[in-house]
């Protein structure tokens, strides 16, 4: 069979169209763990676009997984809730990778939520402690001792699961799955495609929660991916407008064109400098838009609108680049001016440093001369003479000191005659005092009884 170039082109375009129609685009702000080899958290404290909360403990966020319940102790809860809802109502799928590990008879449950209202501001709930909610929950636990099961529950916001008398009977479907202590991560998926899986999807939130029993199971999640067949990778808060676009594409296209035609003030960099530069050097036509808001590619139908959108965006990029170039020139001029000022200050400092260096060199020369003098001269004779002088002085003191002390003692001591005279005088005075005492006693009046 002979294939012409026209046939090959037709097959190639058909294959490309089929591939594009069936491609899955991961929504980044609703997913984590989508990039292999990169950590799910940049700081190991939080997962971007997800709110983490634990009851009885703090959720442990590692580089490749998040631990919702710890291996020990039991009776703990943890939950992750998306900060942004899933807005669009097209085909989508959600994939959760999890694993549970614990003791031989451990217990607990894992829930994958898809609800209208986020539960990030409440305590983490399990199937049996959840209040009224509008949405879907998939539960992984050991229901009826089967070794593991996956069950689905729907609630329209009118049933209080926490107060229900027989909650297990509300499951709309279930299957057996032994999930505990497998070592590897299990994959749980749910999706909506071609009208199947009838659940309202007007801005619903995703959540993952787990709870452990007295004999704990440690539930870990490593990846959660939300993907869609639409060619955009983020869910913005105002994206629900696309439902109106699906119902009335012409009206939505007209609104997008009106938004593109709005004149916005130019951006400001370093105050009003960039704006003044544009106003002075490059006058801007007020009919040319300065900011084009983001729109979905599917909302631009005609080639003329596509060209206008592309033209406006390229023109805005050109203006931005011009502004950055002007800003760069100003930064370079400022740096040159600062360099000149710095060099003007450095020159006097250089003169002072030169004078200081000369003084240091003088000190070094003097020190070296002194060191050379000390090393060249012999001080042995000088020290010997000092030693001999000390020895002579010591000998003279040893010889003359005893004779001098003896002479001083001999000259200063009293004579023997003076000593005898003093003794006789003292005795005469004592005898006279005694005689005087006897005379007075004998002359004193007598007392008789």
């Amino acid at each position: 069979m002979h294939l012409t170039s026209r046939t090959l082109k037709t097959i190639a375009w058909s294959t490309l169209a089929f591939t594009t129609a069936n491609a899955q685009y991961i929504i980044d702000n609703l997913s984590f763990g989508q990039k292999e080899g990169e950590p799910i958290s940049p700081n190991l404290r939080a997962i971007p676009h997800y709110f983490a909360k634990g009851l009885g403990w703090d959720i442990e966020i590692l580089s490749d997984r998040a631990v919702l319940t710890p291996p020990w102790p039991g009776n703990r809860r943890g939950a992750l809730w998306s900060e942004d809802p899933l807005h669009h109502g097209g085909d989508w799928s959600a994939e959760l990778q999890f694993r549970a590990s614990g003791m031989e008879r451990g217990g607990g449950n894992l829930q994958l939520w898809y609800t209208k209202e986020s539960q990030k501001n409440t305590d983490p709930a399990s199937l049996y402690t959840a209040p009224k909610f509008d949405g879907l929950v998939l539960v992984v636990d050991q229901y009826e001792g089967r070794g593991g099961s996956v069950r689905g529950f729907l609630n329209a916001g009118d049933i209080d699961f926490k107060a229900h008398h027989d909650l297990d009977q509300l499951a709309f479907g279930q299957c057996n799955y032994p999930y505990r202590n497998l070592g590897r991560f299990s994959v749980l998926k749910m999706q909506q495609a071609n009208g199947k899986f009838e659940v309202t999807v007007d801005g619903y939130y995703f959540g993952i929660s787990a709870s452990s029993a007295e004999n704990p199971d440690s539930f870990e999640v490593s990846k959660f991916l939300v993907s869609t067949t639409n060619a955009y990778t983020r869910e913005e808060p105002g994206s629900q407008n696309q439902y109106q676009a699906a119902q009335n594409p012409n009206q939505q296209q007209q609104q997008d064109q009106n938004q593109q035609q709005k004149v916005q003030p130019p951006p400001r960099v370093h105050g009003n400098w960039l704006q003044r530069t544009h106003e002075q050097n490059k006058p801007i036509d007020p009919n040319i838009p300065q900011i084009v808001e983001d729109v979905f590619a599917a909302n631009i139908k005609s080639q003329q609108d596509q060209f206008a959108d592309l033209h406006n965006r390229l023109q805005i990029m050109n203006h931005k680049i011009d502004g950055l170039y002007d800003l760069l020139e100003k930064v370079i001029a400022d740096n040159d001016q600062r360099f000149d000022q710095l060099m003007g200050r450095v020159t006097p400092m250089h003169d002072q440093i030169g004078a200081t260096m000369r003084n240091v060199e003088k000190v070094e020369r003097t020190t070296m001369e002194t060191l050379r003098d000390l090393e060249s001269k012999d001080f042995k004779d000088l020290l010997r003479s000092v030693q001999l002088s000390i020895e002579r002085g010591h000998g003279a003191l040893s010889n003359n000191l005893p004779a001098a002390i003896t002479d001083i003692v001999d000259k200063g001591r009293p004579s023997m005659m003076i000593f005898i005279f003093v003794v006789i005088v003292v005795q005469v005075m004592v005898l006279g005092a005694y005689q005087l005492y006897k005379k007075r006693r004998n002359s004193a009046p007598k007392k008789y009884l």
Side-chain angles (χ1 to χ4, degrees), residues 351-416:
D351 297 338
Q352 297 177 0
I353 293 174
T356 304
M357 292 300 296
R358 289 192 293 270
N359 294 332
V360 172
E361 290 177 356
K362 292 180 181 179
V363 174
E364 289 180 350
R365 286 196 299 269
T366 304
T367 304
M368 293 301 295
E369 292 176 356
T370 304
L371 181 60
R372 284 195 300 268
D373 293 339
L374 292 176
E375 291 178 349
S376 61
K377 295 182 179 180
D378 191 1
F379 295 94
K380 291 183 180 179
D381 296 338
L382 179 60
L383 293 176
R384 182 62 179 171
S385 63
V386 172
Q387 184 179 3
L388 291 176
S389 299
I390 293 174
E391 289 179 353
R392 285 196 296 267
H394 181 267
L397 289 175
S398 299
N399 295 330
N400 298 329
L401 186 61
I405 293 175
T406 302
D407 183 61
I408 293 172
V409 172
D410 291 341
K411 291 180 180 181
R413 65 183 178 181
S415 63
M416 183 60 67

Side-chain angles (χ1 to χ4, degrees), residues 21 25 41 47 65 122 133 139 141 153 159-160 172 174 179 191 237 243 265 284 289 295 323 329 355 369 408 432 438:
Y25 300 91
S41 172
I47 298 177
R65 64 189 183 278
T122 62
F133 66 92
V139 182
D141 61 0
F153 294 83
I159 302 176
D160 189 353
F172 64 84
Q174 65 180 24
Y179 61 91
Q191 62 182 356
Y243 309 127
I284 299 177
V295 295
E329 286 186 340
E369 292 176 356
I408 293 172
K438 288 181 62 177

Side-chain angles (χ1 to χ4, degrees), residues 81 85 114-118 133-136 200 202-205:
W81 280 94
Y114 182 60
T115 61
K116 186 176 183 179
E117 300 292 336
S118 174
F133 66 92
D134 186 357
L136 165 71
T200 304
D202 185 8
Y204 276 38
Y205 291 82

Side-chain angles (χ1 to χ4, degrees), residues 146-206:
R146 298 179 180 178
S149 65
V150 180
R151 294 178 293 161
F153 294 83
L154 287 173
N155 193 350
D158 56 348
I159 302 176
D160 189 353
F161 277 25
K162 180 172 57 177
H164 198 275
H165 65 283
D166 192 4
L167 183 61
D168 295 324
Q169 300 299 322
L170 299 180
F172 64 84
Q174 65 180 24
C175 65
N176 296 332
Y177 177 66
Y179 61 91
R180 296 187 66 250
N181 294 326
L182 298 180
R184 59 175 174 82
F185 283 91
S186 301
V187 180
L188 179 63
K189 293 183 179 180
M190 64 177 179
Q191 62 182 356
Q192 174 173 297
N194 300 324
K196 300 180 180 178
F197 191 65
E198 296 290 340
V199 179
T200 304
V201 292
D202 185 8
Y204 276 38
Y205 291 82
F206 287 105

Side-chain angles (χ1 to χ4, degrees), residues 192-404:
Q192 174 173 297
N194 300 324
K196 300 180 180 178
F197 191 65
E198 296 290 340
V199 179
T200 304
V201 292
D202 185 8
Y204 276 38
Y205 291 82
F206 287 105
I208 307 164
S209 65
S211 62
S212 60
E214 184 175 358
N215 294 330
D217 265 344
S218 176
F219 285 95
E220 302 173 341
V221 293
S222 65
K223 181 183 296 186
F224 183 68
L225 304 179
V226 179
S227 57
T228 177
T229 56
N230 293 329
Y232 52 88
T233 59
R234 287 189 63 83
E235 284 290 326
E236 302 297 341
S239 299
Q240 60 266 24
N241 294 333
Q242 60 185 307
Y243 309 127
Q244 300 176 2
Q247 297 175 0
N248 193 352
N250 295 329
Q251 179 181 357
Q252 182 65 25
Q253 182 178 356
Q254 183 65 30
Q255 292 177 358
D256 294 337
Q257 293 177 357
N258 293 335
Q259 291 178 356
Q260 294 178 9
Q261 296 300 326
K262 292 181 180 179
V263 178
Q264 300 291 341
R268 295 183 178 181
V269 180
H270 292 279
N272 295 327
W273 179 84
L274 181 59
Q275 184 175 1
R276 289 197 303 269
T277 302
H278 280 282
E279 292 175 354
Q280 294 174 359
N281 300 332
K282 299 178 181 179
I284 299 177
D285 188 349
N287 297 322
I288 299 177
Q290 300 303 308
I291 292 180
V292 177
E293 298 182 359
D294 294 340
V295 295
F296 294 111
N299 294 335
I300 305 177
K301 303 299 183 180
S302 64
Q303 293 183 355
Q304 182 179 359
D305 294 338
Q306 293 177 356
F307 176 79
D309 181 75
L310 180 61
H311 171 75
N312 292 336
R313 294 182 186 276
L314 290 176
Q315 190 168 246
I316 292 173
M317 289 178 59
N318 186 34
H319 292 170
K320 301 283 187 177
I321 293 174
D322 291 341
L324 291 176
Y325 180 78
D326 296 338
L327 177 61
L328 183 60
E329 286 186 340
K330 184 177 182 298
V331 171
I332 293 175
D334 293 342
N335 290 337
D336 292 340
Q337 183 180 1
R338 292 177 183 176
F339 179 77
D340 295 338
Q341 294 176 355
L342 182 61
M343 293 303 296
R345 296 179 181 179
V346 168
T347 302
M349 293 176 60
H350 183 269
D351 297 338
Q352 297 177 0
I353 293 174
T356 304
M357 292 300 296
R358 289 192 293 270
N359 294 332
V360 172
E361 290 177 356
K362 292 180 181 179
V363 174
E364 289 180 350
R365 286 196 299 269
T366 304
T367 304
M368 293 301 295
E369 292 176 356
T370 304
L371 181 60
R372 284 195 300 268
D373 293 339
L374 292 176
E375 291 178 349
S376 61
K377 295 182 179 180
D378 191 1
F379 295 94
K380 291 183 180 179
D381 296 338
L382 179 60
L383 293 176
R384 182 62 179 171
S385 63
V386 172
Q387 184 179 3
L388 291 176
S389 299
I390 293 174
E391 289 179 353
R392 285 196 296 267
H394 181 267
L397 289 175
S398 299
N399 295 330
N400 298 329
L401 186 61

